[in-house]
Amino acid sequence: MNLSELVKHRKSIRGYLDKAVEREKVMMCLEAARVAPSACNSQPWKFIIVDDRELKNKLCDGAFSGIYSMNTFCKTTPVIVAIVSDKSKFLARLGGMFRGTKYYLIDIGIAGEHFVLQAEDLGLGTCWIGWFNERAVKSILKVPQNKKIDILISLGYYDKEKMRPKHSREPMDKIASFNSY
Ligand SMILES: Cc1cc2nc3c(=O)[nH]c(=O)nc-3n(C[C@H](O)[C@H](O)[C@H](O)COP(=O)(O)O)c2cc1C
């Protein structure tokens, strides 16, 4: 698939096969994330890959119970990726304060999508997960409570037959214009 086909083919996957993902493929996704651009080249991220089945199950129980249970589909995923947001470089933080922009969130979004698109290219499914019990995730993964985990990504093989139809998107004339708003 070329890039335009790849980005059109990707969609959120919410049901996975009970099949482990090869570490080599996970490493390729991590490499794609590693080379992502970031404000002042801060690279304000750390990726924690949870592929140990027992730990992953424990993580899902903690992350997706109570008000977060809409994401219990994650229990079927063989891999959960937690992106720990690190501190940006001083200049990026200062610039961000001045501009009122959280550059680090843009940065982890770009790196995460690099990961996701590489996964797609390898025939793996993903879903961004923003709704989860962060305190429980940090405690289970031994991440200090003063750090932030803004996002998780599920990763795994999936049954292509069982995929749901693609979500629609706004038409081009609503989201883009040339030369003025
Ligand atoms: C930042 C972010 C957070 C998201 N959080 C969740 C989530 O908690 N649970 C979920 O099922 N999908 C989540 N999604 C997936 C979106 O619902 C999905 O990308 C959107 O509906 C478009 O569908 P598509 O990815 O299949 O194209 C999230 C996506 C993003 C980018």
Side-chain angles (χ1 to χ4, degrees), residues 10-14 64 70-71 73 113 126-132 150-152 165-169:
R10 183 222 57 85
K11 60 179 167 179
S12 297
I13 299 296
R14 298 188 177 84
F64 308 120
M70 76 165 228
N71 281 327
F73 74 85
E113 191 63 6
T126 54
C127 188
W128 287 87
I129 308 290
W131 186 242
F132 60 92
D150 293 294
I151 202 82
L152 305 174
K166 230 180 136 43
H167 283 169
S168 65
R169 292 294 193 266

Side-chain angles (χ1 to χ4, degrees), residues 45-173:
W45 48 63
K46 186 166 191 321
F47 291 77
I48 305 179
I49 307 296
V50 183
D51 65 353
D52 175 271
R53 183 186 282 255
E54 216 174 294
L55 181 65
K56 195 272 302 175
N57 287 342
K58 189 175 165 194
L59 182 71
C60 287
D61 287 344
F64 308 120
S65 56
I67 57 167
Y68 303 102
S69 48
M70 76 165 228
N71 281 327
T72 39
F73 74 85
C74 284
K75 292 186 179 174
T76 69
T77 182
V79 182
I80 298 267
V81 182
I83 308 184
V84 184
S85 310
D86 243 327
K87 247 189 180 175
S88 296
K89 281 188 183 157
F90 175 70
L91 210 57
R93 274 185 287 137
L94 191 68
M97 263 171 10
F98 193 71
R99 287 269 299 107
T101 302
K102 289 187 171 142
Y103 289 120
Y104 87 90
L105 281 176
I106 299 176
D107 298 339
I108 62 169
I110 297 169
E113 191 63 6
H114 274 208
F115 187 103
V116 160
L117 292 177
Q118 179 64 76
E120 180 72 31
D121 196 42
L122 293 166
L124 293 161
T126 54
C127 188
W128 287 87
I129 308 290
W131 186 242
F132 60 92
N133 185 331
E134 184 183 357
R135 179 168 278 275
V137 172
K138 286 198 278 198
S139 150
I140 292 160
L141 299 182
K142 302 185 173 56
V143 175
Q145 286 295 343
N146 64 349
K147 296 263 180 202
K148 192 90 186 82
I149 301 181
D150 293 294
I151 202 82
L152 305 174
I153 297 174
S154 61
L155 173 75
Y157 289 100
Y158 58 100
D159 189 346
K160 290 177 184 153
E161 304 292 304
K162 287 194 188 145
M163 270 165 72
R164 291 201 221 133
K166 230 180 136 43
H167 283 169
S168 65
R169 292 294 193 266
E170 299 289 358
M172 188 61 80
D173 59 0

